[in-house]
Amino acid sequence: MNTQTKSFEYVSYLWDDEKAAKLAGNEVELLLYRSNILGSDLRITNYGGGNTSCKTTELDPLTKEPVEIMWIKGSGGDIGTMTRAGLAGLYVEKLRSLKKVYRGIEFEDEMVELFNHCIYDLASKAPSIDTPLHGFLPFKHIDHLHPDAAIAIAASKDGEKITQELWDGQIAWIPWQRPGFDLGLKLKETLDNNPGIRGIMLGGHGLFTWGDTSYECYMNSLEVIERASQYLAENYGKKRPVFGGEKVKFLASDDRKSQAARIAPILRGLASSEKAMIGTFNDSQTVLQFINSNDLGKLAPMGTSCPDHFLRTKISPLVLDLPADQDLNDSEKIKEKLASVFASYRKMYADYYEKHKHPNSPAMRDPNPVIILWPGIGLFSFAKDKQTSRVASEFYINAINVMRGAEAVSEYVSLPLQEAFDIEYWLLEEAKLQRMPKEKPLSRKIALITGSAGGIGKGIAEKFVQEGACVVITDIDQNRLNETLAEFQKKYGKDVVLGAKLDVTNPGSLLEAIKETCLKFGGIDIVVNNAGISISKPFEDHNQQDWERLFNILVMGQYNVSKAGVEIMRMQGMGGYIVNIASKNALVAGPKNVAYGSMKANQLHMSRLMAAELAEDKIRVNVVNPDAVIENSNIWEGGWAENRAKAYGIDVKDLPNYYANRTLLKESVKVDDIANAVFVFVNGMLKKSTGNMLNVDGGLAAAFPR
């Protein structure tokens, strides 16, 4: 419990006195605590945005003399999730002494490498470009944040005047300038010229606040942001309707989502003309208020103001000129119409690059839009992975908040295009991109796996997530699905997994699973048909219900799910993969297995026929034939194991050894063995392979294809 209650309307007061008391005397841990609670509120700062620091006295390991050390978020970190490993620790005196070698603003970039000569903690993350901005200020604790409310003022035509009046001169103003060593010097100069101030507003950029303790710094930040938020709230709709009022009526929520799910694969395919992208859809009220407004046409092309915003969202969004209730049934016609819109956007971006590039600028990056706005429906974002896509969406919503606030109190001002380009193609930013880890084999891929809450399907799902894919886990058993989804989310995060209840015999269930997939990720690249049941009976004991049940789940299930997946893949125009989990029983005639074996043979040959027909769409169809995978499988329930043991004249307990000993390798087949086989077909190494099957059975001569 907090020993004192703090009331804030526009930000969350999350300081816990009991937790903080346990950290008393450890300023670095208090810095991390403050950073994490600040970063948990998107109204205060966005993912990866802003920076926090503290200064402590430590013993120099060489001289054993006390020295002042600054601890600051390292390059590329996120204050909301930052740990001790995410900090850079630098000698303050060494950092400040770099003034002696600073050659001026045109030589800014060379200073970044010199930060490494100031490192105290050898386990430090690489120091960020913001390091001197904190280093030249004398305060023990400093927050540099990107709250929407503050940036709205900072990005308004009258921002300096509003800042002066709103805080009675207690918040100073520095006009827009790219972060770097010179801006650090200007912060110190501004403080010297305005002693006693509580913070500094950076034009178009963000806010600096500070305190002698971590708590004082935290409270200062919250109070300043609260005042800015309150001021904006008092002015929304005061001089004119927000964003000029509504121009377009939005559809009802279910209709919006249906339209979004239908068009998402088309947008994804067009946005992936250079590299495959993962999508995110957002139709929050904040988004709808902006995209349905009269001011959309004026504000959207202006682009964003804060560097963090446009680095994530590109210089401006693509706005679709489609009615919200557009008939999307003719996907080819829609794709053809939108292709020219995307081509125009790419040309605009290429012109922007050519006009503003420097002789040493990095090569032009992907010219496709990151943010796509469909009035009446919502916002789509596309990026290299789900987290980046989601964060891009969040950043553009931050930008919407900034534009709304700036227009309410003054007039929104975006960065000049040359300034924007110089940050987007900053050599230091390029160096950061080049340091990114190599992408995993299934990065940028979206996979839907049937029957994947347990057994073989779960093993495939886990393998795919580990190899970089976004995965849709499906199952007919809701409880089992919930358990597996919770397990995956805990291990891998919520971004990369989706759980969808799916009965492969129910068209409505399938339609809903496909819709959820497209809304979450934007499309589908891989379908794995794994859902199945087994019925083992003597020939004469099979009945029509057995045959129909096996046929509906194994054969029609494989067909219907594949058909739905192929429709999405064709809309994307990016090819794809279908892997069908059949069985050695598709090849081997075993006892008491006539219905099951017949259906597995059906699955196998259907796969060949699919491969022949879908090749023109670059959709590869292959088969994995497992045998006797007992591990965590539902297939052994319902008397199957007993019937198989009886067929072979052995006890149930001896079945695993029986299966292993009948193979050439004398080894049991595990879930991981099947997952690895499926992975081989979809990891890009076998792009020229379709219509094939891979037996994973430990070596059964009877199953050798011939």
Side-chain angles (χ1 to χ4, degrees):
M1 296 241 344
N2 294 314
T3 56
Q4 51 183 307
T5 301
K6 300 294 179 182
S7 178
F8 291 92
E9 185 177 355
Y10 301 100
V11 291
S12 300
Y13 178 83
L14 301 175
W15 191 277
D16 187 308
D17 289 333
E18 290 184 7
K19 287 184 179 179
K22 295 176 182 177
L23 306 175
N26 190 328
E27 297 303 310
V28 174
E29 288 299 319
L30 285 167
L31 163 66
L32 293 171
Y33 176 63
R34 179 178 90 245
S35 302
N36 292 164
I37 59 177
L38 286 170
S40 68
D41 188 344
L42 290 178
R43 296 169 297 180
I44 290 175
T45 203
N46 29 39
Y47 179 85
N51 212 316
T52 50
S53 70
C54 76
K55 298 183 182 73
T56 64
T57 300
E58 310 287 347
L59 285 181
D60 189 306
L62 299 179
T63 67
K64 301 302 180 183
E65 296 291 328
V67 289
E68 188 176 25
I69 303 299
M70 181 173 74
W71 305 89
I72 183 169
K73 184 192 85 171
S75 178
D78 168 54
I79 65 172
T81 56
M82 184 167 64
T83 64
R84 180 68 176 74
L87 293 173
L90 301 97
Y91 291 95
V92 173
E93 184 178 354
K94 287 185 178 182
L95 182 62
R96 292 174 180 168
S97 71
L98 293 180
K99 288 187 292 184
K100 299 173 184 177
V101 298
Y102 179 52
R103 298 196 292 156
I105 198 165
E106 63 271 28
F107 300 102
E108 279 278 347
D109 291 4
E110 70 183 19
M111 300 305 293
V112 176
E113 288 191 10
L114 295 177
F115 298 163
N116 294 322
H117 293 281
C118 306
I119 287 177
Y120 161 82
D121 177 22
L122 298 182
S124 281
K125 284 276 286 182
S128 79
I129 192 66
D130 284 342
T131 298
L133 280 65
H134 292 246
F136 288 115
L137 294 175
F139 307 104
K140 293 294 184 185
H141 289 267
I142 300 173
D143 291 336
H144 168 40
L145 304 171
H146 294 158
D148 294 347
I151 301 177
I153 295 170
S156 67
K157 184 178 179 181
D158 302 306
E160 183 173 6
K161 179 174 178 287
I162 293 170
T163 299
Q164 169 67 27
E165 294 176 353
L166 192 58
W167 285 284
D168 297 322
Q170 288 298 297
I171 303 291
W173 174 275
I174 295 179
W176 159 258
Q177 182 176 323
R178 192 173 71 175
F181 201 84
D182 191 74
L183 185 55
L185 296 175
K186 280 192 169 58
L187 282 165
K188 179 62 166 63
E189 180 184 0
T190 300
L191 179 65
D192 291 342
N193 293 335
N194 299 273
I197 57 174
R198 63 186 299 188
I200 298 173
M201 188 79 77
L202 302 179
H205 185 162
L207 179 69
F208 265 85
T209 42
W210 48 71
D212 290 332
T213 67
S214 194
Y215 180 74
E216 288 177 14
C217 184
Y218 178 72
M219 286 302 298
N220 191 20
S221 296
L222 261 58
E223 288 169 0
V224 171
I225 298 167
E226 178 79 3
R227 182 69 188 99
S229 303
Q230 182 182 46
Y231 174 67
L232 297 182
E234 291 167 353
N235 282 277
Y236 288 133
K238 189 174 182 180
K239 62 179 182 179
R240 65 192 291 263
V242 174
F243 290 133
E246 186 179 72
K247 179 180 179 181
V248 176
K249 293 288 185 183
F250 56 82
L251 300 186
S253 177
D254 287 346
D255 294 334
R256 289 198 307 272
K257 288 177 170 55
S258 292
Q259 288 287 81
R262 187 68 183 164
I263 205 171
I266 297 175
L267 297 178
R268 181 178 181 237
L270 292 168
S272 302
S273 64
E274 296 209 354
K275 285 187 174 182
M277 298 293 174
I278 304 296
T280 292
F281 174 70
N282 188 296
D283 63 345
S284 66
Q285 288 304 306
T286 299
V287 168
L288 292 172
Q289 184 183 53
F290 178 63
I291 66 174
N292 298 338
S293 73
N294 284 296
D295 285 354
L296 175 66
K298 177 187 79 169
L299 294 173
M302 291 176 67
T304 55
S305 56
C306 179
D308 267 18
H309 293 177
F310 64 73
L311 280 173
R312 298 276 188 170
T313 65
K314 262 201 172 68
I315 190 62
S316 62
L318 171 63
V319 180
L320 300 182
D321 183 18
L322 290 175
D325 59 356
Q326 173 74 49
D327 183 352
L328 300 175
N329 287 323
D330 190 343
S331 59
E332 287 303 315
K333 185 177 179 181
I334 297 297
K335 188 191 300 187
E336 183 180 346
K337 180 176 182 178
L338 292 180
S340 62
V341 177
F342 273 75
S344 296
Y345 186 96
R346 295 181 197 117
K347 183 179 184 306
M348 176 278 294
Y349 187 84
D351 290 344
Y352 155 76
Y353 176 85
E354 290 297 327
K355 183 176 180 180
H356 299 98
K357 71 178 180 180
H358 302 287
N360 63 342
S361 291
M364 187 179 78
R365 303 189 189 112
D366 189 335
N368 284 296
V370 172
I371 302 296
I372 301 171
L373 308 176
W374 186 3
I377 301 297
L379 178 159
F380 301 84
S381 56
F382 292 94
K384 65 177 182 176
D385 55 42
K386 179 60 186 182
Q387 184 195 53
T388 308
S389 172
R390 173 182 56 78
V391 169
S393 175
E394 292 173 358
F395 269 79
Y396 198 78
I397 292 171
N398 290 131
I400 291 173
N401 291 333
V402 167
M403 289 186 276
R404 184 177 67 241
E407 288 286 302
V409 299
S410 177
E411 183 180 335
Y412 173 68
V413 179
S414 61
L415 281 182
L417 288 180
Q418 189 62 60
E419 289 288 339
F421 179 89
D422 288 347
I423 288 180
E424 185 178 358
Y425 283 91
W426 196 356
L427 292 177
L428 294 178
E429 187 67 27
E430 177 68 13
K432 186 190 297 184
L433 293 174
Q434 295 301 324
R435 291 196 300 268
M436 297 292 286
K438 182 181 178 182
E439 292 188 18
K440 294 181 178 180
L442 297 187
S443 291
R444 304 174 183 264
K445 294 286 191 293
I446 302 160
L448 185 148
I449 306 163
T450 65
S452 47
I456 289 174
K458 182 179 178 182
I460 295 168
E462 186 140 34
K463 176 68 175 178
F464 279 16
V465 172
Q466 291 169 349
E467 296 293 347
C470 295
V471 171
V472 185
I473 302 169
T474 72
D475 209 273
I476 196 170
D477 185 331
Q478 186 68 62
N479 291 331
R480 196 180 196 201
L481 177 63
N482 291 343
E483 290 173 4
T484 300
L485 181 62
E487 177 189 336
F488 273 53
Q489 288 179 338
K490 184 176 181 180
K491 290 169 71 174
Y492 305 111
K494 294 183 178 180
D495 278 329
V496 297
V497 289
L498 168 68
K501 186 176 181 181
L502 174 59
D503 176 353
V504 298
T505 69
N506 184 321
S509 172
L510 176 57
L511 186 65
E512 185 62 26
I514 295 294
K515 177 182 174 181
E516 290 179 43
T517 300
C518 291
L519 284 174
K520 172 82 172 184
F521 298 124
I524 298 173
D525 302 297
I526 302 169
V527 169
V528 180
N529 285 297
N530 169 74
I533 60 164
S534 297
I535 297 175
S536 174
K537 293 181 179 179
F539 174 81
E540 64 275 11
D541 290 348
H542 278 81
N543 56 41
Q544 180 141 347
Q545 185 180 13
D546 294 334
W547 282 89
E548 288 177 353
R549 190 166 179 230
L550 284 164
F551 179 79
N552 288 336
I553 293 173
L554 297 178
V555 181
M556 289 308 300
Q558 173 176 303
Y559 173 74
N560 288 328
V561 174
S562 297
K563 182 180 177 181
V566 166
E567 182 183 10
I568 300 301
M569 293 176 193
R570 282 175 169 162
M571 291 168 73
Q572 294 171 156
M574 299 159 59
Y577 297 89
I578 297 174
V579 181
N580 297 320
I581 308 301
S583 168
K584 77 94 169 54
N585 291 291
L587 298 166
V588 176
K592 299 182 179 180
N593 209 18
V594 64
Y596 179 77
S598 296
M599 299 310 160
K600 285 299 175 180
N602 194 323
Q603 280 187 280
L604 176 59
H605 195 54
M606 187 205 306
S607 300
R608 297 183 181 119
L609 295 167
M610 289 167 58
E613 191 168 344
L614 300 177
E616 64 184 77
D617 297 298
K618 304 299 182 186
I619 298 172
R620 303 148 183 88
V621 185
N622 293 291
V623 176
V624 171
N625 288 327
D627 182 44
V629 183
I630 300 175
E631 185 182 24
N632 301 320
S633 178
N634 281 345
I635 203 171
W636 302 101
E637 298 174 3
W640 170 268
E642 289 80 1
N643 281 324
R644 298 320 294 155
K646 187 176 180 181
Y648 297 128
I650 59 174
D651 290 334
V652 172
K653 65 180 177 59
D654 296 324
L655 201 56
N657 283 335
Y658 172 82
Y659 280 132
N661 288 327
R662 75 180 182 182
T663 71
L664 297 174
L665 296 175
K666 309 298 182 190
E667 293 183 12
S668 296
V669 181
K670 304 291 187 183
V671 163
D672 287 350
D673 298 319
I674 311 304
N676 288 334
V678 178
F679 172 64
V680 165
F681 275 127
V682 301
N683 68 5
M685 299 294 286
L686 297 179
K687 286 183 179 179
K688 309 293 174 64
S689 180
T690 191
N692 287 313
M693 66 178 178
L694 178 58
N695 291 341
V696 187
D697 53 17
L700 287 172
F704 287 175
R706 52 192 178 278

